[in-house]
Amino acid sequence: MDKKLVLESGEVFYGEGFGREEDTAGEVVFNTGMTGYQELLSDPSYCGQLVCMTYPLIGNYGINRDDYESIEPSIKGLIVKELCDLPSNFRVQITLDEFLKKKKLSGISGIDTRRLTRLIRDKGVVKGKIVSGDAETEKVVLELKNIVFSTNQVEQVSTKTSYASPGRNFKVVLVDFGLKLGIIRELSRRNCDIIVVSHLITAEEILLLNPDGIMLSNGPGDPMDVPHAYKMIRRLLGKIPIFGICLGHQLVALACGATTFKLKFGHRGVNHPVLDIEKNRVAITSQNHGYAVDRESLKCTELVETHIALNDETNEGIKHKKYPCFSVQYHPEASPGPEDANYLFDEFIALMEQYKK
């Protein structure tokens, strides 16, 4: 079926649709990973976005039962250069096209993804819509200019009820802002007793659970859209060890008086080099965020910068000068991506152990 991707700025990319046939609109972003499309499709941090894959061949290892990062995808659609219809992998169960059909997601293939990526890189992220090939372009552009996307993305992806993943080590309250299952896997690997809670939980409710530590998960959107979260974190500083990832990192910064801003085109991929300042060591990291912590604003807080992105020198990590609290902008649980930064979970365990003594 003939489809086209229309951008708010007026550019049009013609291609062939796959997945469901319905039109779909979202913020158009790009991901630089060569693999990991299944984890990407099921990552709640992509809520409301149309993701362009920069690697030209997507779908070549199909979809399997093990690599999901959530039960239901929150992404709006997928944009690829070439779609593989005949995947080859010993774990494959269905094709990427079949998966999108089952999950009622739209995709478009056969477009110049390099040109699209360069456009986003130069002009910044833009609203776009996948529509039928004969749709009136001017009408779609006008619609995109007037459309206002939801700002309650965390509300859409966060759990509504608390649930547990039992263990016999430290008790960790994991606040779900749109968490990836990889975080639960890493905490479970260290035998933590995990309680996953909604983003709406209060500081008082967390203290009643008497945890040894608090994990603040990743999630979609602007951290300023969830003010209740950083106010909750502020009340917990100094009382319980805290570890934040991605959106959790930005919320820690806001709780301590720093500010955040929207990046021109974000960091999305599995090949981002990050410098650990204290260890003077570089890790290749998995990243997925459209906002960042303002480095200058950290100077007016009790936070210390611990990590820097080597591509654009934006902030990638902080820790509190007095309290047991640290956070990183990237994903130490990877999924997909390298596991260079996996040691941060061990540092969280050590922090809880030290604080408990």
Side-chain angles (χ1 to χ4, degrees):
M1 53 182 168
D2 292 335
K3 288 278 188 177
K4 63 183 178 182
L5 170 68
V6 180
L7 304 183
E8 178 189 14
S9 50
E11 288 86 355
V12 180
F13 296 79
Y14 293 91
E16 184 175 348
F18 64 99
R20 74 167 187 172
E21 296 185 10
E22 284 81 359
D23 298 347
T24 186
E27 182 182 55
V28 184
V29 300
F30 65 83
N31 183 290
T32 57
M34 294 175 65
T35 62
Y37 54 81
Q38 180 173 340
E39 293 93 332
L40 179 155
L41 286 165
S42 55
D43 182 350
S45 293
Y46 283 106
C47 179
Q49 294 179 331
L50 299 174
V51 182
C52 170
M53 302 299 295
T54 61
Y55 189 68
L57 179 61
I58 301 296
N60 49 315
Y61 55 87
I63 299 288
N64 66 78
R65 71 172 193 172
D66 300 322
D67 290 342
Y68 293 104
E69 286 301 316
S70 66
I71 295 174
E72 292 296 333
S74 303
I75 191 174
K76 294 294 288 186
L78 191 65
I79 303 164
V80 304
K81 170 63 176 175
E82 182 179 345
L83 175 70
C84 178
D85 294 323
L86 190 62
S88 176
N89 186 278
F90 72 98
R91 295 190 301 164
V92 65
Q93 293 178 303
I94 58 175
T95 67
L96 178 56
D97 180 41
E98 289 170 334
F99 172 79
L100 262 62
K101 283 185 169 71
K102 289 178 182 294
K103 296 300 181 179
K104 298 180 180 179
L105 297 172
S106 298
I108 185 170
S109 66
I111 75 166
D112 187 347
T113 52
R114 175 176 290 188
R115 175 180 158 231
L116 176 59
T117 301
R118 288 169 65 94
L119 189 151
I120 297 171
R121 187 193 65 186
D122 294 340
K123 296 185 178 180
V125 293
V126 63
K127 291 184 283 187
K129 189 172 186 179
I130 299 173
V131 297
S132 62
D134 57 1
E136 187 179 339
T137 300
E138 292 76 12
K139 184 177 180 181
V140 178
V141 170
L142 181 61
E143 179 186 336
L144 286 169
K145 288 182 181 296
N146 293 326
I147 194 171
V148 178
F149 294 130
S150 172
T151 57
N152 68 336
Q153 294 164 318
V154 170
E155 177 69 27
Q156 294 175 44
V157 298
S158 176
T159 184
K160 301 298 185 290
T161 57
S162 301
Y163 60 93
S165 178
R168 294 193 176 277
N169 198 354
F170 293 108
K171 186 175 186 178
V172 176
V173 168
L174 174 50
V175 185
D176 178 10
F177 298 109
L179 73 87
K180 293 167 61 183
L181 295 178
I183 296 176
I184 296 179
R185 283 192 289 265
E186 291 302 328
L187 292 173
S188 296
R189 187 177 297 173
R190 291 158 178 83
N191 202 25
C192 289
D193 185 19
I194 309 164
I195 302 176
V196 181
V197 297
S198 165
H199 72 103
L200 294 172
I201 195 167
T202 65
E204 291 71 25
E205 289 171 329
I206 288 179
L207 291 172
L208 283 175
L209 294 172
N210 194 27
D212 298 305
I214 301 169
M215 174 73 75
L216 307 171
S217 86
N218 62 291
D222 185 344
M224 291 297 291
D225 289 337
V226 280
H228 58 277
Y230 57 79
K231 292 175 183 177
M232 172 268 289
I233 296 166
R234 189 178 298 149
R235 295 175 66 87
L236 293 171
L237 284 170
K239 297 178 181 178
I240 304 171
I242 297 173
F243 178 20
I245 293 175
C246 199
L247 180 62
H249 162 74
Q250 297 162 9
L251 292 171
V252 167
L254 291 173
C256 295
T259 59
T260 57
F261 66 97
K262 186 168 185 176
L263 293 164
K264 186 176 181 180
F265 49 80
H267 298 171
R268 297 176 181 88
V270 296
N271 50 4
H272 290 257
V274 169
L275 173 65
D276 185 324
I277 298 172
E278 293 180 339
K279 294 180 174 62
N280 194 28
R281 185 172 71 184
V282 174
I284 303 302
T285 67
S286 175
Q287 302 201 13
N288 175 19
H289 59 274
Y291 291 80
V293 174
D294 186 340
R295 295 181 68 186
E296 285 297 313
S297 72
L298 294 173
K299 297 177 181 178
C300 301
T301 71
E302 292 187 294
L303 297 170
V304 176
E305 187 170 56
T306 58
H307 297 76
I308 301 173
L310 294 181
N311 285 341
D312 61 4
E313 297 187 344
T314 53
N315 173 263
E316 289 284 344
I318 53 177
K319 72 175 181 179
H320 203 282
K321 294 178 181 178
K322 297 192 300 184
Y323 302 137
C325 173
F326 72 101
S327 61
V328 291
Q329 182 64 77
Y330 52 92
H331 288 266
E333 81 287 352
S335 300
E339 298 182 351
D340 298 25
N342 201 257
Y343 68 91
L344 290 172
F345 287 96
D346 296 322
E347 291 191 356
F348 182 46
I349 298 294
L351 185 65
M352 289 189 286
E353 190 171 40
Q354 178 184 352
Y355 193 77
K356 199 167 187 178
K357 289 180 180 179

